[in-house]
Amino acid sequence: MDPVNFFSLASQQNRWLSVRQSAVAQNVANVNTPGYKAVDVEPFEAVLNSTGIEMQKTRASHLSPMSGAGSEAETEENAKWQVVHSGNSVSIEEQMLKAGEVSGAYQRNTSVMKTFHRMLLAASRG
Amino acid sequence: MIDPIKVAIQVASSGLEAQSRRMLVVSENLANASTTGNTPGADPYTRKTVSFESVLDDISGANLVRVDRVDSDKKPYRVEYDPSHPAADADGNVKLPNVDMLVELADMRESNRSYEANLQIIKQARSLSSMTIDLLRSS
């Protein structure tokens, strides 16, 4: 049986969620900037299924981009929400909704992690 | 790599600063809503407008926001007939500021709402990091 690498999965998703939170923060900060287009991160599924191709490094000490964190991309034009006259496509309601989703998922993740850890501890104590 | 939660707080605080600058300009306009000139035919207070721009932060790669420029509104002044006013011209007309109270109040409400949204983002980012720290506790 394959070992369930739950901890790495959960921490990967938490990293993705925090990148998403920073994308939401960018959108909210730029809610009154003319011409600003809302951004979002690529979905977690895509991050998980990506093969993790990295750029070639010429030196071992070069930093590589954090894998599995997702990158920001412009959202497809969101027809559901309005685009105001100045060309800004951020809707505060939508962003608040997203921020709520992020914090809910984060909380769920951390509490499952906690439970898993307790189970491991209980098993090792015997 | 900078912690994305830290980046979120940084971006939101740049939003707070920009919105409070906007609030400052609005209050300036409101306070000077009936400031006229002193000499005959002089121009009164001109309404100020504020516009934002998005700047890319090199270190975190995030789009911060800042006040681009504060311009003056090009709307014509209101003119009123009041020959006894010190700023009245030869025909007895006084130029009054081009400030519209309703527009200013609407602007203030919008700025207030955006400020609150930024504060909410900061609160949530803090709660995310404290959830992570709580993993260490009580297990």
Side-chain angles (χ1 to χ4, degrees):
Chain A
M1 196 182 106
D2 279 346
V4 185
N5 46 2
F6 173 77
F7 283 119
S8 85
L9 183 65
S11 65
Q12 202 178 0
Q13 193 180 15
N14 272 3
R15 214 156 47 193
W16 178 79
L17 285 169
S18 50
V19 171
R20 192 165 193 220
Q21 174 81 4
S22 79
V24 169
Q26 272 177 56
N27 292 341
V28 171
N30 285 294
V31 71
N32 296 124
T33 308
Y36 179 83
K37 295 274 175 291
V39 293
D40 200 353
V41 293
E42 52 185 349
F44 184 59
E45 265 184 345
V47 176
L48 205 59
N49 293 335
S50 67
T51 47
I53 297 169
E54 284 191 7
M55 278 191 285
Q56 186 78 40
K57 281 186 276 191
T58 50
R59 241 173 227 269
S61 56
H62 284 168
L63 295 176
S64 55
M66 192 159 62
S67 61
S71 56
E72 281 155 21
E74 222 167 85
T75 39
E76 67 285 1
E77 74 291 337
N78 37 6
K80 278 184 294 179
W81 308 90
Q82 58 173 356
V83 175
V84 293
H85 180 66
S86 68
N88 187 307
S89 72
V90 181
S91 144
I92 275 207
E93 290 82 5
E94 185 197 11
Q95 300 306 323
M96 288 293 128
L97 218 62
K98 273 187 193 164
E101 261 171 38
V102 165
S103 90
Y106 204 95
Q107 190 157 23
R108 202 162 53 232
N109 248 341
T110 47
S111 56
V112 173
M113 245 164 148
K114 237 183 214 173
T115 313
F116 217 75
H117 191 235
R118 250 203 322 270
M119 282 159 63
L120 275 186
L121 276 186
S124 58
R125 277 194 196 119
Chain B
M1 185 74 192
I2 295 184
D3 180 18
I5 293 182
K6 219 175 182 178
V7 174
I9 293 179
Q10 206 182 338
V11 173
S13 63
S14 82
L16 289 184
E17 200 190 328
Q19 297 296 345
S20 53
R21 279 284 297 280
R22 181 182 180 189
M23 195 78 95
L24 175 77
V25 171
V26 169
S27 68
E28 231 172 288
N29 288 340
L30 277 178
N32 286 296
S34 49
T35 305
T36 56
N38 292 323
T39 49
D43 279 350
Y45 174 81
T46 311
R47 176 175 181 256
K48 286 177 182 166
T49 58
V50 61
S51 79
F52 294 155
E53 70 171 344
S54 170
V55 281
L56 189 72
D57 186 34
D58 292 335
I59 302 164
S60 57
N63 282 314
L64 301 184
V65 65
R66 72 160 181 227
V67 173
D68 183 14
R69 57 182 192 276
V70 178
D71 284 333
S72 45
D73 197 344
K74 291 186 184 62
K75 220 169 87 175
Y77 299 118
R78 280 181 293 138
V79 177
E80 223 170 64
Y81 181 71
D82 184 5
S84 62
H85 198 282
D89 60 9
D91 301 328
N93 289 326
V94 182
K95 285 189 213 161
L96 293 171
N98 50 358
V99 176
D100 188 350
M101 281 285 186
L102 214 60
V103 173
E104 297 304 322
L105 286 179
D107 215 20
M108 192 170 75
R109 284 296 281 270
E110 197 190 1
S111 155
N112 202 358
R113 238 168 66 94
S114 307
Y115 195 92
E116 273 171 14
N118 276 306
L119 268 186
Q120 187 66 29
I121 292 294
I122 292 183
K123 267 185 205 157
Q124 260 174 8
R126 282 172 58 102
S127 82
L128 290 195
S129 58
S130 72
M131 273 185 239
T132 312
I133 294 168
D134 275 351
L135 279 177
L136 291 175
R137 254 183 237 157
S138 74
S139 60

